[in-house]
Amino acid sequence: MAITKVSEFVESSGQKDLSAEAFELESAHMLEVKLSGRVWAKAGSMVAYRGAVKFVRQGMLEQGLGNLLKKAISGEGNTLMKMEGQGRVYLADSGKKITLLRLDGESIFVNGNDVLAYEDGIDSQITMMRRVAGMLSGGLFNIRLSGRGVVAITSHYQPLTLAVSRNQPVFTDPNATVAWSGGLSPDIVTDISFKTLLGRGSGESIQLKFAGEGWVVVQPYEEVYLQHKQ
């Protein structure tokens, strides 16, 4: 086991500015936000900050009555917070890998639990899969992100992106699905025989079918989502 001097540890693990971008990865699992104005982030994801920063939990009607009603119906609890002011904020989510994506007018769908942060110019809208919500513990909701700006999403370990075409649809486990392109609208299919063969509970018996032209991102991990009580 290697032993490191304190000075060497401080130097190697110290914060570094390698980019002028507002979002910068300090590591694969830590995001630095150079805050100058407002940024939306997952509530509870702040691990450190410096400067004059104000954290405000998302207001009930800030992102529209439609989103509020969907939250109430689905019971989903990925509450967002506003980070406002001037300073540096460091975000993380249970050691998950962070990926930064720049939207240039397009839209993407992201599993609600995998949205870490996004710039203020990005528009967000909650979408629901009601059939899945009744089958999986905690249900499944997604956030449609569109516009221009940077989005930070998370995944357990290294994600894999699969191409989707009209001639070759892709089937995924909902608990392992991270994101997909805005032009796709997944269908929900069930496979009782698959469930019986594997002896699993709700997992592989419910699948998302992606057909059309686009892509879908999966992670090598089946995440269990906890239902939040209202």
Side-chain angles (χ1 to χ4, degrees):
M1 177 180 173
I3 299 177
T4 304
K5 292 182 179 180
V6 172
S7 59
E8 293 175 346
F9 168 74
V10 172
E11 173 64 25
S12 63
S13 63
Q15 181 266 334
K16 300 175 180 63
D17 281 325
L18 302 177
S19 168
E21 295 281 354
F23 284 18
E24 179 180 349
L25 292 179
E26 289 293 331
S27 73
H29 315 285
M30 181 84 69
L31 172 65
E32 178 192 57
V33 178
K34 301 179 180 71
L35 187 63
S36 179
R38 180 170 66 176
V39 165
W40 292 91
K42 186 175 184 178
S45 62
M46 186 276 291
V47 297
Y49 77 94
R50 61 188 181 192
V53 180
K54 182 180 180 182
F55 300 91
V56 181
R57 200 171 185 86
Q58 178 185 15
M60 293 187 69
L61 295 176
E62 280 194 83
Q63 298 207 331
L65 179 60
N67 278 349
L68 173 64
L69 293 175
K70 290 174 183 177
K71 281 190 174 188
I73 294 172
S74 65
E76 59 85 7
N78 182 23
T79 305
L80 296 172
M81 64 180 178
K82 289 184 294 184
M83 306 187 303
E84 298 177 305
Q86 304 284 331
R88 304 286 181 101
V89 184
Y90 300 89
L91 306 177
D93 185 8
S94 302
K96 294 166 69 175
K97 178 180 173 58
I98 302 170
T99 301
L100 300 181
L101 303 174
R102 185 184 302 279
L103 299 185
D104 190 17
E106 67 263 59
S107 63
I108 62 173
F109 288 92
V110 183
N111 184 300
N113 198 50
D114 296 325
V115 176
L116 179 62
Y118 55 90
E119 292 186 301
D120 195 39
I122 298 292
D123 179 69
S124 66
Q125 181 179 6
I126 295 173
T127 62
M128 293 174 54
M129 296 185 182
R130 289 184 176 83
R131 285 185 58 195
V132 175
M135 299 174 185
L136 295 177
S137 59
L140 187 68
F141 72 101
N142 310 287
I143 299 180
R144 181 181 183 270
L145 300 171
S146 58
R148 297 182 183 277
V150 178
V151 174
I153 67 173
T154 61
S155 63
H156 288 277
Y157 312 107
Q158 181 68 33
L160 172 68
T161 300
L162 300 172
V164 178
S165 66
R166 301 186 185 282
N167 297 327
Q168 194 171 38
V170 174
F171 297 83
T172 68
D173 183 330
N175 292 55
T177 307
V178 175
W180 60 90
S181 52
L184 297 180
S185 180
D187 290 324
I188 297 163
V189 296
T190 57
D191 192 331
I192 298 177
S193 62
F194 199 11
K195 172 183 175 182
T196 304
L197 285 172
L198 294 178
R200 300 291 294 273
S202 63
E204 282 81 354
S205 63
I206 305 168
Q207 301 153 23
L208 298 180
K209 177 184 178 181
F210 293 88
E213 298 293 335
W215 47 264
V216 58
V217 180
V218 293
Q219 63 185 2
Y221 185 92
E222 293 180 74
E223 193 159 8
V224 177
Y225 309 106
L226 299 177
Q227 187 82 17
H228 291 252
K229 296 181 179 180
Q230 301 297 311

